[in-house]
Amino acid sequence: MSAELAVVYAALILEDDNVEITADKLQTLVSAAGIEVEPIWFSLYAKALAGQDLKALLLNVGAPGAASAGAVGAAAGGAAAADAPAEEAKEEEKEESDDDMGFGLFD
């Protein structure tokens, strides 16, 4: 088992028991499991998870609200993509007008 995975499992155990996630508690759980982890991982995960509601995060992973936000972003991106060809066409027209003057880049 990787060190990161062991720390994540320890954090999930603490959250499930409604215990505050701290570096010391993470280290105690991982040590009890007999897994060696560098001490930096405990403090990193404790700081990253401070103030986070892991239960809500896990329950909302595949929630429709997240998909709706993605769909809105994709729709907005599609509208921007539709505007891009029109702008390119205008730029091409300007380049053609230079050729009409009788000189070009390779003349």
Side-chain angles (χ1 to χ4, degrees):
M1 175 182 298
S2 71
E4 294 87 2
L5 190 58
V7 177
V8 168
Y9 284 152
L12 291 173
I13 290 169
L14 291 173
E15 181 67 27
D16 190 48
D17 289 339
N18 294 323
V19 177
E20 182 182 2
I21 298 171
T22 64
D24 293 334
K25 292 176 184 174
L26 290 171
Q27 186 172 11
T28 302
L29 277 173
V30 172
S31 297
I35 301 168
E36 294 200 18
V37 177
E38 293 179 32
I40 189 70
W41 289 111
F42 303 117
S43 60
L44 286 175
Y45 275 89
K47 287 178 184 177
L49 297 174
Q52 300 293 325
D53 185 11
L54 289 181
K55 289 180 183 176
L57 180 67
L58 291 173
L59 292 174
N60 292 326
V61 168
S68 297
V72 170
D83 293 339
E87 292 176 9
E88 290 177 12
K90 291 179 185 178
E91 290 177 12
E92 289 177 10
E93 290 175 12
K94 290 179 184 177
E95 291 175 7
E96 291 174 7
S97 65
D98 290 343
D99 291 336
D100 293 339
M101 291 182 183
F103 60 89
L105 182 63
F106 298 106
D107 286 341

